Amino acid sequence: MALRFFNSLTRSKELFQPLVPGQAGLYTCGPTVYNYAHIGNFRTFVFEDLLRRALTFRGYRVTQVMNFTDVDDKTIRGSQAAGESLEVFTARYKQAFFEDLDTLRVQRAEVYPAATEHVGEMVELIRRLRERGHTYEDAGSVYFRLSTFPGYGRLANLNPEQMRSSGRVDNDEYEKEDVRDFALWKAWIPEDGPVFWETELGKGRPGWHIECSAMSMKYLGEQFDIHTGGVDNRFPHHENEIAQSCCATGGPFAGTWLHSEFLLVEGKKMSKSLGNFYTLRDLLEKGLDPVAIRYTLLSVHYRAQLNFSFEGIEASAQAVRRLRDLNGRLGRSPAGPGSGDKVWQLTAACETDFTEALDDDLNLAGALGHLFTWVREVNALLDSGSPDAGELERLQAWLNRVDSLLDVLREEQDESAEGRVAELVAQRAAAKQSRDFPAADRLRLEIESLGWVVKDTPQGPVFHRR
Ligand code: AMP
Ligand code: ZN
């Protein structure tokens, strides 16, 4: 286990050393659910999927938490414009987000806490900050006093010039280099309509930053391993999270911070405010293959900017086809006399080079270079018909292992796949009923190999896509 990450906090590559050996706690800032996420957002979420899968690939048990920002200015205004309650309005976009994650084959996090369901925890955290002298109140709102945290600005690398607070702000998303005391709790204003909580802090709602501190600590502990987001989250959002969390606990917060670069359109950040965005649904309507979109987002290093283009997606579609072709060939090829030690040698070399690149701050682009060299060599061996049964198995096993990261080999999910899995789930239930546990285990493995997961509940088994 030798993963190294570029830690935004120290601006250097560091060996990943989790708090508990073999386990990784991961907090990934989630979507603001006032609209469909655009594929710039999905670049960040697919990067986090790669991170999660790379940790698993290297043997870690991952606990990932991703929040839903379901109360802020944008969600409140959006719900008012739609004439819906905040709950109904945001529920639609939460649901759409999960559908899009499935389309892009992003693995589910362990927990998706919603801000509106954790206001109690946020109030508690603000109370701790108040007790330690880090807050002040004005007109019913509670602000964080930046001057009480000397470590402020470390993550965003602000220089001392920039470090003088220029007042205070109620807006959650202020400009870079504009250092301000920020709102932890916002007093109710008539524009918020029915959206408020009556708490010991008064009538109002939480600020944006406090939600991630409260929910990460609740599910991962006061100190945890990795915190991620897009580069625009680094300041002020993550800087503020660190200030609040460290001041509330008196100890450290997340050890490693990873930030993914922007997806660009014609040289500009893809964003809702610039109007230069595509949602995933826009692209599917144009007939693009979601697996090629996934591959495109994965194939450029996460700390490099990625220019969105239709040509880029077509190139990815070709790469996916080459991998699927090889997969199909391995399944169909008859066993030959054996390649000597060629299969073992070139596969072991690919494994070493691929894993080294991945370990080096998730350099999947480099790793894919090694993979495609291997694909070429394997195709040549298959042309000559030499690999024997054991060698074919070895090749297939490595391709499957790589696909545990990429998840591109499965062909489009069709209805018949679901029917087949339902059948296997029923057979497994029958095997368990007759206490044939080895058969039940085998069936579970078969279900998982098709990309599905089965879980037993008091109401009987349920199954869903991985
Ligand atoms: P939001 O829903 O605005 O809170 O954003 C969700 C995530 O998407 C955050 O981690 C952002 O940093 C990230 N993000 C927003 N725009 C882009 C972009 N153009 N490229 C990559 N990530 C982005
Ligand atoms: Zn956050």
Side-chain angles (χ1 to χ4, degrees):
M1 290 205 250
L3 275 164
R4 285 178 307 133
F5 296 126
F6 182 87
N7 186 352
S8 303
L9 200 56
T10 57
R11 280 170 287 286
S12 60
K13 277 188 198 166
E14 295 169 354
L15 187 66
F16 176 55
Q17 289 174 306
L19 293 169
V20 180
Q23 297 191 26
L26 179 58
Y27 189 86
T28 49
C29 285
T32 309
V33 278
Y34 72 111
N35 207 328
Y36 297 110
H38 60 63
I39 63 148
N41 302 132
F42 282 114
R43 176 178 198 201
T44 295
F45 301 131
V46 168
F47 145 67
E48 287 154 352
D49 182 54
L50 172 65
L51 171 62
R52 176 190 168 87
R53 289 173 186 259
L55 286 162
T56 310
F57 186 90
R58 295 304 263 143
Y60 292 97
R61 264 193 43 211
V62 178
T63 304
Q64 181 189 356
V65 179
M66 178 178 279
N67 64 303
F68 277 121
T69 300
D70 60 352
V71 53
D72 75 331
D73 289 344
K74 291 185 272 194
T75 44
I76 293 173
R77 305 295 164 257
S79 69
Q80 287 166 347
E84 291 173 333
S85 70
L86 186 66
E87 201 181 352
V88 168
F89 176 75
T90 55
R92 181 163 63 248
Y93 294 111
K94 285 179 196 170
Q95 173 66 27
F97 180 70
F98 283 128
E99 287 167 13
D100 289 350
L101 289 185
D102 286 349
T103 305
L104 285 174
R105 305 186 174 188
V106 172
Q107 281 183 345
R108 291 290 168 95
E110 278 59 36
V111 199
Y112 288 97
T116 50
E117 285 163 21
H118 294 79
V119 174
E121 285 84 348
M122 296 181 223
V123 170
E124 172 60 30
L125 199 57
I126 297 169
R127 192 207 333 211
R128 283 169 79 181
L129 286 168
R130 187 165 62 182
E131 279 165 8
R132 288 170 165 256
H134 295 289
T135 67
Y136 61 95
E137 294 176 28
D138 188 50
S141 291
V142 182
Y143 296 89
F144 184 88
R145 194 188 295 279
L146 280 184
S147 58
T148 63
F149 182 53
Y152 197 85
R154 190 172 157 217
L155 181 70
N157 203 15
L158 302 177
N159 63 40
E161 279 291 277
Q162 296 164 315
M163 282 305 303
R164 258 193 316 275
S165 168
S166 54
R168 64 160 196 264
V169 66
D170 291 306
N171 184 356
D172 288 322
E173 299 166 89
Y174 39 98
E175 286 306 306
K176 190 164 165 41
E177 296 173 7
D178 185 6
V179 179
R180 303 240 182 164
D181 290 347
F182 54 92
L184 298 162
W185 184 259
K186 299 180 175 192
W188 179 80
I189 49 172
E191 288 86 335
D192 287 351
V195 180
F196 61 84
W197 283 262
E198 292 275 10
T199 72
E200 62 179 75
L201 302 173
K203 176 177 173 177
R205 61 175 162 106
W208 172 35
H209 313 294
I210 196 76
E211 76 177 74
C212 287
S213 289
M215 296 195 282
S216 58
M217 290 195 217
K218 170 162 181 176
Y219 293 100
L220 295 170
E222 292 186 349
Q223 196 188 344
F224 59 92
D225 299 311
I226 305 178
H227 196 312
T228 69
V231 276
D232 55 340
N233 280 166
R234 193 163 51 198
F235 181 82
H237 183 47
H238 289 167
E239 196 69 62
N240 291 354
E241 265 189 60
I242 292 174
Q244 299 159 157
S245 308
C246 294
C247 289
T249 66
F253 184 47
T256 303
W257 291 77
L258 305 187
H259 292 101
S260 55
E261 257 300 343
F262 288 139
L263 182 83
L264 306 181
V265 187
E266 285 158 11
K268 291 210 176 70
K269 175 192 172 191
M270 180 178 282
S271 75
K272 300 230 171 84
S273 52
L274 290 176
N276 61 347
F277 65 93
Y278 292 107
T279 64
L280 180 60
R281 287 144 201 256
D282 294 335
L283 296 181
L284 300 186
E285 265 174 33
K286 288 181 190 294
L288 298 194
D289 176 0
V291 180
I293 299 172
R294 172 177 171 82
Y295 189 96
T296 304
L297 298 179
L298 280 173
S299 61
V300 172
H301 189 256
Y302 75 92
R303 282 193 296 120
Q305 294 185 332
L306 163 55
N307 225 326
F308 176 83
S309 76
F310 291 96
E311 298 79 49
I313 293 185
E314 181 45 40
S316 295
Q318 276 177 29
V320 170
R321 269 198 295 278
R322 278 169 70 198
L323 295 175
R324 285 182 177 170
D325 286 348
L326 177 62
N327 192 39
R329 266 193 103 175
L330 287 172
R332 285 190 312 270
S333 290
S339 72
D341 58 1
K342 269 200 201 133
V343 161
W344 294 90
Q345 256 180 18
L346 66 94
T347 306
C350 180
E351 252 169 8
T352 305
D353 296 343
F354 183 99
T355 309
E356 247 170 44
L358 188 72
D359 279 353
D360 182 13
D361 194 30
L362 304 178
N363 180 9
L364 187 64
L368 289 172
H370 298 299
L371 181 72
F372 280 102
T373 304
W374 176 82
V375 169
R376 216 174 27 251
E377 290 166 338
V378 173
N379 273 318
L381 277 179
L382 294 175
D383 288 342
S384 70
S386 56
D388 62 24
E391 290 174 336
L392 288 171
E393 217 170 278
R394 168 89 169 102
L395 293 167
Q396 184 74 65
W398 172 236
L399 187 57
N400 288 349
R401 183 155 160 71
V402 169
D403 198 48
S404 71
L405 292 164
L406 301 179
D407 205 350
V408 298
L409 290 181
R410 286 185 285 136
E411 301 280 339
E412 247 345 286
Q413 299 151 347
D414 54 35
E415 294 312 311
S416 58
E418 183 154 2
R420 168 86 188 118
V421 173
E423 214 172 89
L424 293 171
V425 169
Q427 285 174 18
R428 175 174 169 273
K432 284 185 76 169
Q433 188 85 37
S434 52
R435 310 193 70 74
D436 184 355
F437 296 112
D441 282 344
R442 264 199 313 282
L443 286 157
R444 184 174 48 76
L445 285 176
E446 193 173 342
I447 292 162
E448 287 172 3
S449 75
L450 294 170
W452 292 70
V453 181
V454 57
K455 283 198 186 114
D456 294 309
T457 73
Q459 289 75 38
V462 292
F463 60 101
H464 59 80
R465 289 197 167 92
R466 192 167 50 195

